[in-house]
Amino acid sequence: MGQGRGPVWLLVPAVLLLLAFFVYPLAGILLTSVTEPAPGIGNFHRFFATGVYLKVFWRTVQVAFIVTALCLIVGYPVAYFLVHAGERARRLLLFAILAPFWTSVLIRSYTWVVLLGREGVVNRALQETGITSGPIQMLYTAPAVYLAMVQILLPITILTCYGVMVEIDRGLVRAARVLGASPVRAFARVFFPLSLPGVTTGAIITFILAMGFFITPALLGGRREMMLANLIEFEVNQTTNWGFASAIALILLAATAAIVLPFQALSKAPNPYRKA
Amino acid sequence: MRGTIIGRRALIGAALLAAAAGTATAQTTITVNGSGGTLAEAIKRVYETPFTQETGIRVRATAPVSLPKLKAMVQTGNMEWDVTELSGDFYPTVVKEGWVTKIDWSQIDPEKKLPDFARGEYGLMHSSFTEGLAVRTDKFKDGKFPSSWAEFWDVKAFPGPRSLRDTPRGNLEFALLADGVTKDKLYEVLATDAGVDRAFRKLDQIKPHVLKWWKSGAEHVQLLSEGEVFAASAYNGRLAQMKSEQKLPVDIVWNGAALRSNYMVIPKGAKHVKEAHLYLKVTYMDPKKNAELVKEMPYPGFLPGIYDHLTPDVAKTLPTHPDNLAQTFRLSDDFWAANREKMQARWNTWILQ
């Protein structure tokens, strides 16, 4: 890196935007949560003292974890393949990954409704090929929500993993092979550890997004699949209990930060093997 | 030279001011907020354009009806709406919170043509609709489908996934009806704790068979039209549309349906309160206009004389037709105003278990 700080003033517009449209509203929400309907921390107490809300909280965390794990399991190999693929295959695959990314989350969630419905494409295919005799209930179940969330978040996981993997010096893996390691060993002892910090970042981003998901559980889930964002929406729109809604929003923010920060430390581990 | 320029400027300025002032008084525009959608076209044709023709006041239609938006506008002191539609569900809330202006009935209905229950202190009850049992007739064998709430609850005789609205309001009553309580005793039973427990116990029975708890009209239409559920609670207007436009094999069951109503209210801080009253008078005290709109959407008001302008075919589909009225029960806004929070809290816990 060069010496000195560089033109810091270039950051000023971004910082101003952040202050005006993020910090200021956040302060407003904080204020609302401790003043509406009565001053004090009543809203927070209500959230943690009621079993029902805690259930939604833990379910949100659970869903976010499972979805992130699934995204990694599916996405890591895809990113690995992308790194080692030929030019044409890579471009094709990148396009295939990015194209659905350009469609809105609402549309993508809604197409799952069409696909998974009782009279939808999947059920009809299953029945016509004789695999099942009657329609399977797929919509408004937890698996439907997981499936759709993974499909929506996968491009993000793949691209962040890919971005990191591409930086890894493949010469190192070759060196390991030359020194006698089997392909599996070379991957496990050299490539994989090097990819971890970046993969952790990808996982963190996926997790944060998953925690805040609203449309997918609303469209595809039953009552049991309700997540914190849905609860916030209910309190804003139906009961106009804005103090409580603000409290839930802050709890969501704090919980996400609390879970993510330890992992964030992991991804910053010093890496002596990176390409100079 | 200078004198002339200043003089000319002053003249132009004065002329502009006069024009602006003239425009303001000649062209008042009120903002009427509604649900939008396909009905908005009919409302414009039947209500809004004639109003402008008769009074010279322009109407700007906005959508949708949003309770949080109303709250936000009241709190910031920036009220965009002069009149808005409001669900009966929320009427007690807006009255309690002070988000609406009192109605001066002498300006709208001095001859007391509307029945008393439609003349709210803070709103005009302008339309009624039913939330009742709806079935996909093709999903049940031998053409026998549930025709009462008791039969809706009977999953052995009429198997299949169901849907109900995600609210205690209405569902508690349906549960009691299914459990054998008669229409006239409903609120007597619900007034007691034992009665409420009974309703929730009955709901426990149907819960495993409810696939999805719907929140909006669009949702239950989609569930029924795509065959995701075989029976559901639904709004009569939506069902009528499904039958006539989409030609779907659905049937409304009037037996045991809940008669609900909507209001037109004048929000607090509305800029044209007098014109808003005039709009309500010209629009909702005219039986011919109301009958005309009812032909598009079967949500009649309570003004006497609407049926004089309707053919028997159309009249039969309306919730306030005597034949249908006999089978429905009126959802008690008073009961729900008093008990909403308690029931909603219990419902929230119950539904997440």
Side-chain angles (χ1 to χ4, degrees):
Chain A
M1 277 296 287
Q3 295 142 328
R5 272 151 140 233
V8 178
W9 58 265
L10 281 173
L11 290 176
V12 170
V15 170
L16 283 177
L17 257 169
L18 209 66
L19 280 173
F21 295 111
F22 182 69
V23 176
Y24 176 66
L26 198 60
I29 289 181
L30 183 59
L31 197 66
T32 312
S33 71
V34 289
T35 52
E36 246 193 68
I41 56 165
N43 289 315
F44 295 93
H45 183 257
R46 182 178 164 199
F47 185 88
F48 288 109
T50 321
V52 154
Y53 300 127
L54 277 179
K55 248 199 205 170
V56 176
F57 176 80
W58 288 119
R59 184 170 318 131
T60 309
V61 175
Q62 177 192 329
V63 170
F65 263 114
I66 294 180
V67 167
T68 307
L70 287 172
C71 280
L72 284 173
I73 293 171
V74 176
Y76 189 98
V78 175
Y80 186 84
F81 176 83
L82 264 177
V83 168
H84 295 91
E87 184 64 34
R88 235 207 259 154
R90 182 181 317 165
R91 251 191 268 162
L92 206 66
L93 196 54
L94 270 174
F95 180 76
I97 294 168
L98 282 173
F101 205 29
W102 296 324
T103 326
S104 86
V105 179
L106 177 60
I107 307 281
R108 280 195 281 168
S109 302
Y110 192 71
T111 45
W112 281 109
V113 175
V114 175
L115 282 174
L116 298 178
R118 280 183 143 251
E119 296 173 14
V121 176
V122 175
N123 261 319
R124 251 187 262 167
L126 284 175
Q127 285 177 67
E128 271 170 39
T129 56
I131 300 177
T132 58
S133 56
I136 314 177
Q137 189 59 54
M138 292 184 281
L139 268 184
Y140 314 125
T141 60
V145 177
Y146 287 137
L147 193 56
M149 282 180 73
V150 168
Q151 188 240 347
I152 292 169
L153 290 171
L154 203 52
I156 297 171
T157 320
I158 294 177
L159 289 174
T160 38
C161 290
Y162 173 71
V164 157
M165 286 182 189
V166 124
E167 292 283 311
I168 298 175
D169 188 351
R170 278 193 256 168
L172 294 168
V173 180
R174 255 180 272 139
R177 295 293 316 281
V178 161
L179 289 172
S182 67
V184 174
R185 200 127 188 266
F187 171 79
R189 296 299 299 274
V190 180
F191 190 88
F192 186 70
L194 289 175
S195 68
L196 264 184
V199 166
T200 312
T201 309
I204 288 172
I205 296 176
T206 312
F207 180 82
I208 293 174
L209 289 169
M211 282 284 277
F213 251 59
F214 164 71
I215 294 178
T216 314
L219 274 183
L220 294 170
R223 250 313 196 164
R224 288 217 180 80
E225 283 69 52
M226 192 190 210
M227 291 172 67
L228 277 175
N230 303 104
L231 191 58
I232 296 173
E233 188 266 336
F234 177 78
E235 296 294 336
V236 168
N237 278 333
Q238 298 291 324
T239 64
T240 60
N241 232 327
W242 290 357
F244 191 47
S246 305
I248 304 174
L250 286 168
I251 291 170
L252 176 60
L253 179 64
T256 313
I259 297 173
V260 157
L261 285 174
F263 287 97
Q264 182 92 328
L266 252 179
S267 79
K268 282 204 172 72
N271 189 349
Y273 300 114
R274 290 279 290 271
K275 267 196 281 204
Chain B
M1 248 329 246
R2 206 176 259 177
T4 327
I5 292 175
I6 292 175
R8 210 187 298 159
R9 280 209 195 126
L11 210 60
I12 293 173
L16 280 170
L17 262 173
T23 320
T25 48
Q27 292 272 315
T28 322
T29 308
I30 59 167
T31 306
V32 177
N33 189 56
S35 316
T38 47
L39 198 54
E41 301 249 339
I43 288 181
K44 186 167 176 201
R45 181 172 43 90
V46 178
Y47 287 165
E48 292 168 5
T49 313
F51 175 73
T52 308
Q53 286 167 351
E54 289 170 40
T55 63
I57 302 174
R58 299 233 295 249
V59 176
R60 183 177 139 242
T62 56
V65 178
S66 164
L67 190 68
K69 196 171 175 192
L70 177 66
K71 175 178 177 174
M73 287 198 286
V74 169
Q75 285 185 339
T76 55
N78 182 20
M79 181 51 64
E80 280 176 30
W81 303 332
D82 293 303
V83 184
T84 178
E85 204 182 297
L86 192 75
S87 160
D89 280 355
F90 295 132
Y91 180 71
T93 309
V94 298
V95 171
K96 180 168 145 230
E97 300 278 352
W99 295 339
V100 283
T101 315
K102 243 196 203 172
I103 302 270
D104 177 7
W105 282 101
S106 63
Q107 289 185 42
I108 301 177
D109 182 22
E111 294 160 37
K112 285 206 162 194
K113 292 199 197 133
L114 279 174
D116 275 335
F117 63 81
R119 293 165 54 110
E121 213 183 327
Y122 290 91
L124 186 155
M125 198 185 272
H126 78 296
S127 72
S128 66
F129 62 100
T130 52
E131 183 185 327
L133 182 54
V135 286
R136 275 291 293 260
T137 49
D138 57 332
K139 298 287 183 191
F140 292 100
K141 298 194 199 75
D142 309 321
K144 283 181 60 184
F145 48 84
S147 53
S148 71
W149 288 113
E151 289 184 1
F152 179 85
W153 249 256
D154 189 350
V155 287
K156 284 206 191 64
F158 304 101
R162 285 126 157 87
S163 179
L164 285 172
R165 191 169 172 219
D166 186 356
T167 176
R169 217 181 131 101
N171 284 328
L172 292 189
E173 287 91 329
F174 298 153
L176 286 179
L177 284 174
D179 205 33
V181 180
T182 52
K183 273 196 311 181
D184 43 328
K185 296 258 189 294
L186 269 180
Y187 290 103
E188 229 178 270
V189 175
L190 272 180
T192 66
D193 280 340
V196 177
D197 288 339
R198 182 177 172 185
F200 272 100
R201 265 200 316 270
K202 191 73 181 168
L203 283 167
D204 281 333
Q205 289 177 13
I206 198 76
K207 199 167 165 210
H209 303 276
V210 176
L211 178 67
K212 175 111 172 145
W213 297 86
W214 60 265
K215 287 198 178 68
S216 71
E219 257 187 300
H220 76 251
V221 165
Q222 183 220 327
L223 287 167
L224 280 169
S225 65
E226 292 191 15
E228 283 301 318
V229 298
F230 295 178
S233 60
Y235 297 143
N236 69 305
R238 297 279 190 167
L239 284 170
Q241 260 184 333
M242 280 165 69
K243 275 177 90 162
S244 61
E245 283 170 35
Q246 294 174 272
K247 307 275 191 277
L248 283 164
V250 286
D251 234 7
I252 313 176
V253 175
W254 292 105
N255 181 15
L259 187 67
R260 291 170 49 189
S261 38
N262 286 331
Y263 289 82
M264 293 299 277
V265 295
I266 301 178
K268 181 162 170 205
K271 300 199 177 81
H272 304 102
V273 177
K274 198 157 142 269
E275 288 83 353
H277 277 85
L278 188 61
Y279 178 79
L280 291 178
K281 174 171 180 211
V282 168
T283 307
Y284 293 105
M285 298 307 298
D286 185 340
K288 258 182 79 187
K289 281 188 192 160
N290 286 326
E292 188 62 39
L293 196 73
V294 152
K295 288 187 203 153
E296 304 272 341
M297 202 53 144
Y299 291 156
F302 296 96
L303 188 67
I306 299 180
Y307 281 92
D308 297 339
H309 302 276
L310 294 170
T311 63
D313 295 335
V314 177
K316 262 196 324 196
T317 65
L318 299 183
T320 51
H321 188 273
D323 291 347
N324 300 328
L325 214 53
Q327 302 184 61
T328 62
F329 69 93
R330 161 170 281 287
L331 194 83
S332 170
D333 284 333
D334 292 325
F335 172 81
W336 284 103
N339 294 293
R340 186 169 192 228
E341 294 214 14
K342 199 173 79 176
M343 298 300 173
Q344 188 69 52
R346 184 165 175 180
W347 178 267
N348 289 343
T349 317
W350 176 84
I351 202 145
L352 280 170
Q353 280 157 356

